[in-house]
Amino acid sequence: MIYAQILANGLVLGGLYACIAVGFSLVWGVLNVINILHGTFIVLGSYVALFAYNYGGIHPFVSVIIAGGALYVLGYAIQRSLVNRVITAPVLITLTLTFGLDLVLNNAMLVGFTADYRKINLAHPLGSFEIGPIFLPGDRVAAMALAVLLTLLLYWLLRDTRIGRAIVAVRMDRDAAALMGVDVARVNAVTFGIGALMAGAAGALLSIVYPISPLNSSLFLGKAFVVCVLGGLGSVPGALIGGLVLGIVESFGSFWFGPEHAVTISFALLLILLFVRPSGLLGKRGYE
């Protein structure tokens, strides 16, 4: 029964990981930009949820909308004003730019919020769910369900909406999309904004699970990177499956080897997959 409990914990954790990574995967797959800012965007979303709850009494599940909207505006502005100027440059240039922006934004958070860890203590937690011998915290299950719902909504957006089809077209062939009348610069900015939106929403959901501090940005970025490579670039189903795989592997690895080795296990899995299937579980060759 202990393995059933570990598996359930891994699935709950994996759903959150999918929401962490899907925006990172989208930006990398469509724009060919490795967005080092992504972890800081997630932490910003957590701070939005923290302040909304402490000063407005707004539950983190509701402040997902506020955090997502605020981060979309920030991401759109950053892409339009800065990233778009070097969007066609080699990937090392955009990587350096987002790394520099991350240093600025993360250090601004350290100055403004300090490095102290903070936590949202809900006045009315959901308790726990009992499924036979398995017990799961209600708040974590609800956060995971919302994270998966957001991931599925993004999948629907890309498949069945005009802007989604434009994003997919730009991903497949930027020049051909421009010839067909797609405003590539606008689509790039919207894509970056959606990536930031998903990061902010994930941060709001994670605020009831993880302590909040600017120091967590590198942790979240690392997990997004692993899930992205596991699932495949630009693939929303891949991010979902990659997140679930990582959550399960980390849960069993923590049980067998200790929680202090969870990060080591994650990157060991990444290295193994890079040797066995470099394109990821659901990735396709040729998408770079």
Side-chain angles (χ1 to χ4, degrees):
M1 291 304 169
I2 187 66
Y3 290 120
Q5 180 69 57
I6 294 170
L7 178 63
N9 291 339
L11 290 173
V12 171
L13 192 61
L16 293 171
Y17 284 171
C19 193
I20 285 176
V22 69
F24 183 75
S25 177
L26 181 69
V27 170
W28 191 357
V30 175
L31 306 185
N32 197 30
V33 172
I34 303 174
N35 183 21
I36 305 300
L37 276 164
H38 192 76
T40 297
F41 283 164
I42 293 172
V43 175
L44 274 175
S46 295
Y47 274 113
V48 170
L50 174 69
F51 294 133
Y53 186 75
N54 287 347
Y55 298 108
I58 302 173
H59 196 282
F61 293 161
V62 179
S63 60
V64 164
I65 301 172
I66 303 171
L71 267 295
Y72 175 85
V73 173
L74 178 61
Y76 188 98
I78 288 175
Q79 204 287 331
R80 270 296 221 191
S81 59
L82 297 171
V83 179
N84 199 50
R85 297 176 183 271
V86 295
I87 196 68
T88 58
V91 68
L92 182 61
I93 301 298
T94 54
L95 176 67
T96 304
L97 175 61
T98 58
F99 176 73
L101 291 172
D102 180 64
L103 287 178
V104 172
L105 190 55
N106 195 262
N107 279 280
M109 285 198 299
L110 285 170
V111 172
F113 306 139
T114 74
D116 294 341
Y117 285 92
R118 307 184 192 188
K119 188 76 170 62
I120 293 179
N121 297 309
L122 297 175
H124 304 288
L126 295 179
S128 62
F129 291 123
E130 181 179 350
I131 307 172
I134 300 172
F135 292 86
L136 294 170
D139 295 317
R140 288 199 177 199
V141 173
M144 182 273 289
L146 282 174
V148 172
L149 177 61
L150 287 171
T151 305
L152 294 177
L153 284 174
L154 178 59
Y155 183 65
W156 167 81
L157 175 76
L158 294 176
R159 278 180 60 100
D160 299 325
T161 66
R162 185 180 180 87
I163 186 62
R165 288 192 290 270
I167 290 172
V168 173
V170 170
R171 180 192 187 213
M172 296 181 71
D173 194 319
R174 185 185 306 271
D175 295 330
L179 290 173
M180 294 297 104
V182 176
D183 186 345
V184 174
R186 177 176 173 270
V187 169
N188 288 342
V190 170
T191 302
F192 201 90
I194 291 174
L197 181 154
M198 294 301 295
L205 294 174
L206 288 168
S207 64
I208 64 172
V209 179
Y210 284 94
I212 304 167
S213 170
L215 301 178
N216 280 344
S217 63
S218 59
L219 171 68
F220 294 141
L221 177 64
K223 293 187 183 300
F225 199 99
V226 173
V227 173
C228 179
V229 174
L230 280 174
L233 286 181
S235 172
V236 175
L240 182 58
I241 293 175
L244 294 175
V245 169
L246 179 62
I248 293 170
V249 168
E250 280 196 0
S251 294
F252 278 98
S254 298
F255 175 72
W256 288 327
F257 305 108
E260 67 273 13
H261 297 298
V263 175
T264 304
I265 293 167
S266 301
F267 282 95
L269 178 64
L270 171 64
L271 291 174
I272 292 170
L273 192 72
L274 285 174
F275 281 111
V276 176
R277 186 176 172 82
S279 59
L281 296 174
L282 296 185
K284 297 180 181 179
R285 293 184 182 277
Y287 283 169
E288 299 178 356

